[in-house]
Each structure stands twice: as C-alpha cells, then as structure tokens.
Amino acid sequence: MNLQIGLYQGTSFLDWLVRIFTRSKYSHVCFISNDNKLEAIAGKGVRFANIMSYDGKWKLDIYDIDISEQKQAEIWVTAYKMIDKGYDYAGVAHFVFRLFKQDPQKYFCSEYFMDVCYRNKVVLCNKAVSESTPNDIAKSKLLSYNKSIYSRR
C-alpha cells in the first residue's frame, strides 16, 4: 500500500487566492488515510478530519507516493504528533509579502505536509519547507495519480 496524499481544487475566494499566488490548480494539500485526512487548515490548525469536510464545492485528486511501509509508518507517526498545532497565518503572509516572521510551531497546509515528509527524508521538491506550495508538491516525480473525488454540493 502506498502513502496517499490529497490535492484539493477548491472554489472559495481563499482557494482562488491560493491558486493565484502559487500559480497552481490546487489550493490545498493533505495526507489521506481511507476516508480521512491529516491537514493544516485555516481556523483549525493541524487536524484529523473526514475528506469530505472541506468547505464549498471542490475536486480532490488523490495521488500515491511509492515508499516503504516502514517509511509510511514513520510519516504517520510524525504527522499525528503535530495534531493541534496552530495554523501559520504569519507564514502565509510571509509567503505572499515577505514581511512577516513565521512561527515554527504553526503550519499552513503545504508547510505541514513538506515538514512531515522532510523529517522522514522523503524529498518531494527542492524548496524550503516554508516556501513550498501545493503546486510544488503536485509536480513531484514521486507522485502517481490514483483517483478523483468530487464534493456533493
């Protein structure tokens, strides 16, 4: 079994802003486990939730990363340890305006995702964790497309 990740194409105003600033069709990234996800999301921080709990109308593309079962287990342990960390609003502002200092104890979605992967020596792109975007992750040669899910709204 491969590690699965989700890349969302949301339709909210915030999703649109993320896509514009990152030049991506994706506005959000998360880890997928069955019908659940681990993610860093505005207003909630790092959390475990159902994959259907994303506001508005959206498309979720699920990709596989072919890594060993041991490496997958290490990633899940690291990802779960970060549950309840706050959302990195300053990090998002820093990403856009380069004026704000980031809080190393808080995360935005791609920052959380990449930090977990880097801590476990899974390198998806050659960017700093705090500079990575859903688009950078989507371009990784380690990903293989699995399926798409659409919101019911």
Side-chain angles (χ1 to χ4, degrees), residues 7-83:
L7 287 158
Y8 282 90
Q9 295 178 42
T11 58
S12 73
F13 180 70
L14 183 58
D15 291 319
W16 178 79
L17 284 176
V18 169
R19 288 194 315 274
I20 293 296
F21 279 106
T22 63
R23 296 179 184 94
S24 176
K25 69 179 183 177
Y26 296 112
S27 53
H28 187 63
V29 62
C30 61
F31 292 101
I32 300 285
S33 176
N34 298 315
D35 288 337
N36 296 302
K37 61 185 173 179
L38 269 168
E39 66 183 348
I41 193 157
K44 297 182 172 88
V46 177
R47 70 175 186 161
F48 186 74
N50 185 280
I51 59 173
M52 301 306 282
S53 65
Y54 192 82
D55 291 338
K57 189 174 178 181
W58 48 261
K59 176 185 175 192
L60 170 62
D61 291 333
I62 297 177
Y63 290 86
D64 295 326
I65 302 176
D66 186 21
I67 56 176
S68 71
E69 286 187 28
Q70 179 179 342
K71 189 63 69 179
Q72 288 178 54
E74 292 168 1
I75 284 175
W76 283 113
V77 167
T78 304
Y80 276 106
K81 284 181 181 176
M82 295 178 175
I83 288 178

Side-chain angles (χ1 to χ4, degrees), residues 61-143:
D61 291 333
I62 297 177
Y63 290 86
D64 295 326
I65 302 176
D66 186 21
I67 56 176
S68 71
E69 286 187 28
Q70 179 179 342
K71 189 63 69 179
Q72 288 178 54
E74 292 168 1
I75 284 175
W76 283 113
V77 167
T78 304
Y80 276 106
K81 284 181 181 176
M82 295 178 175
I83 288 178
D84 293 329
K85 296 273 187 183
Y87 189 76
D88 191 6
Y89 293 99
V92 173
H94 170 79
F95 188 86
V96 175
F97 302 111
R98 305 286 189 240
L99 299 173
F100 299 93
K101 184 175 180 177
Q102 295 180 266
D103 184 337
Q105 296 301 310
K106 296 181 179 182
Y107 295 94
F108 54 87
C109 71
S110 52
E111 182 180 38
Y112 166 67
F113 184 88
M114 292 297 289
D115 191 40
V116 169
C117 289
Y118 278 158
R119 286 177 188 231
N120 291 284
K121 298 178 178 40
V122 174
V123 179
L124 298 173
C125 69
N126 291 322
K127 279 193 150 180
V129 167
S130 62
E131 301 293 324
S132 61
T133 69
N135 192 46
D136 298 322
I137 295 163
K139 290 179 180 178
S140 174
K141 294 183 184 338
L142 297 178
L143 300 185

